[in-house]
Amino acid sequence: MKSKTKQIKLIFTLILTLLAVIFVVLNTNNVAINFGLFQFKLPLIIILVLMIIIGVLIGYFWGSYGHNQDKNN
């Protein structure tokens, strides 16, 4: 049963990754980023990739934190 759940998670993750890559590749125009005191322009593809990486890291650390809490109880 666990192996089927892992396979479903893997397929779901691969589909989401493919959609994210397609979305990122289609959005390559320059956009202005405003931090209040300063502003700069970057290609949207760079910003999207950075946000995806940050999201994955947050999900990983948040998930591992919850997993460690379960082990302690």
Side-chain angles (χ1 to χ4, degrees), residues 3-69:
S3 114
K4 184 169 180 135
T5 304
K6 284 185 178 184
Q7 287 177 347
I8 291 171
K9 284 184 178 181
L10 177 65
I11 291 170
F12 186 69
T13 302
L14 290 174
I15 290 170
L16 284 178
T17 303
L18 179 64
L19 289 173
V21 167
I22 291 169
F23 182 74
V24 166
V25 170
L26 291 175
N27 290 286
T28 57
N29 297 336
N30 284 345
V31 293
I33 306 296
N34 187 352
F35 282 105
L37 298 175
F38 58 93
Q39 178 180 357
F40 56 93
K41 288 189 176 187
L42 285 174
L44 186 57
I45 191 169
I46 292 173
I47 296 166
L48 290 171
V49 168
L50 287 174
M51 292 300 107
I52 290 170
I53 290 170
I54 290 170
V56 167
L57 289 174
I58 289 172
Y60 173 77
F61 287 119
W62 190 18
S64 66
Y65 175 75
H67 184 68
N68 289 338
Q69 290 295 323

